[in-house]
Amino acid sequence: MIDLHCHILPGVDDGARSFTEAVAMCRLAADDGCEAMVATPHQRRGEWWNADRGQLAALADQLQDEVGPGFRVLLGGEIHVDSGLLDEIGKLPEGGGVLPLAGSRYLLIEFDSMGTEADAIHLIHELTVTGWRPIVAHPEFIPWLAPDLERVARLVALGALTQVTAMSVTGDFGRRPQSDTWALLDAGLVHFLASDSHNTRRRPPGLRRAYDVVADRWGERTARRLASDNPRAVVENRPLPEAV
Ligand SMILES: [Fe+2]
């Protein structure tokens, strides 16, 4: 399995607070069956702007050194959406303060809780026509989005992909995020399972429990696609394999 969304870079957001904690998170993920994590610090969100790509890359390199071989630490960002985002993405790859996932054409984007469908449609359209592949982080926590399956379907039809959170699938965040997540899975509108882990205890890494829930209800093939095949295509910068 490969985890595309986690806050393991120390000291840059509300995730890991130290290298010790970051290494412990990587070990938990490895023990749970993950071979790689893409570190996705918050970007362009409130106090966590994190526009210095060199600084973030140095932290990821240091974490990889401390974790050692056998588990890969890759770098990306969880990019909060605002009206200036398209301009910033337009500066890539040489400039710009946002990080695609593992240097690919995939971008993990976090819609604002006060966003609108019209703005989202504009953003997804502009990104896809310029060759980006936007992945919508945890639609189950975006109040104007997840309860409306048709709205999610419209964004997916425009080229958006979606990532649900492992602890939403398992019900650890309560019934509403779980039921919205399951409805998305029922509708075939989910492309990735990721941990969005922040620490070792309250929001820990690990996809296995959610993988098992998905395998039980939607089949082993779906679980493997969401936790392994699709994330692997992202870090290898390939199109997602066809769902069969
Ligand atoms: Fe996150």
Side-chain angles (χ1 to χ4, degrees):
M1 295 184 286
I2 295 174
D3 190 352
L4 292 184
H5 183 170
C6 58
H7 299 266
I8 50 173
L9 288 195
V12 297
D13 61 11
D14 55 344
R17 285 159 298 175
S18 64
F19 274 105
T20 304
E21 185 172 25
V23 170
M25 290 171 73
C26 292
R27 299 247 186 278
L28 283 175
D31 290 347
D32 189 70
C34 274
E35 63 183 69
M37 286 172 121
V38 184
T40 51
H42 288 293
Q43 293 194 290
R44 301 180 70 82
R45 179 171 152 176
E47 68 203 273
W48 306 308
W49 206 251
N50 283 327
D52 186 342
R53 297 190 303 174
Q55 177 218 0
L56 298 173
L59 287 171
D61 287 347
Q62 187 176 345
L63 180 56
Q64 178 71 78
D65 285 347
E66 297 205 13
V67 169
F71 184 87
R72 283 191 301 154
V73 177
L74 302 166
L75 181 60
E78 178 180 12
I79 307 164
H80 187 257
V81 172
D82 61 37
S83 58
L85 178 57
L86 279 173
D87 284 346
E88 200 63 22
I89 290 171
K91 299 175 190 167
L92 292 171
E94 290 81 16
V98 293
L99 284 160
L101 294 173
S104 72
R105 294 295 291 184
Y106 292 87
L107 297 164
L108 182 66
I109 59 169
E110 180 188 35
F111 281 124
D112 191 86
S113 59
M114 303 294 280
T116 66
E117 180 177 358
D119 287 346
I121 283 174
H122 176 68
L123 178 71
I124 298 297
H125 174 75
E126 291 298 318
L127 290 176
T128 52
V129 297
T130 49
W132 294 103
R133 299 186 180 115
I135 301 174
V136 177
H138 43 61
E140 73 273 23
F141 293 120
I142 310 298
W144 55 270
L145 184 56
D148 188 336
L149 287 178
E150 291 184 6
R151 192 169 268 182
V152 178
R154 285 193 287 274
L155 295 183
V156 169
L158 283 172
L161 304 164
T162 73
Q163 168 261 306
V164 298
T165 304
M167 287 173 70
S168 302
V169 173
T170 53
D172 291 282
F173 291 129
R175 292 176 70 126
R176 202 217 33 85
Q178 185 182 40
S179 64
D180 285 349
T181 302
W182 285 23
L184 289 166
L185 284 158
D186 281 338
L189 291 170
V190 177
H191 304 87
F192 304 97
L193 194 60
S195 73
D196 197 6
S197 49
H198 281 66
N199 46 55
T200 56
R201 297 176 68 91
R202 206 172 57 82
R203 298 187 65 180
L207 303 177
R208 177 61 61 185
R209 284 191 307 125
Y211 182 105
D212 289 344
V213 171
V214 173
D216 271 357
R217 290 187 65 94
W218 293 278
E220 182 79 26
R221 191 178 287 181
T222 298
R224 196 166 50 237
R225 195 162 48 82
L226 303 189
S228 180
D229 299 346
N230 285 353
R232 189 177 308 283
V234 169
V235 302
E236 294 176 359
N237 196 23
R238 294 185 278 106
L240 301 192
E242 291 291 323
V244 285

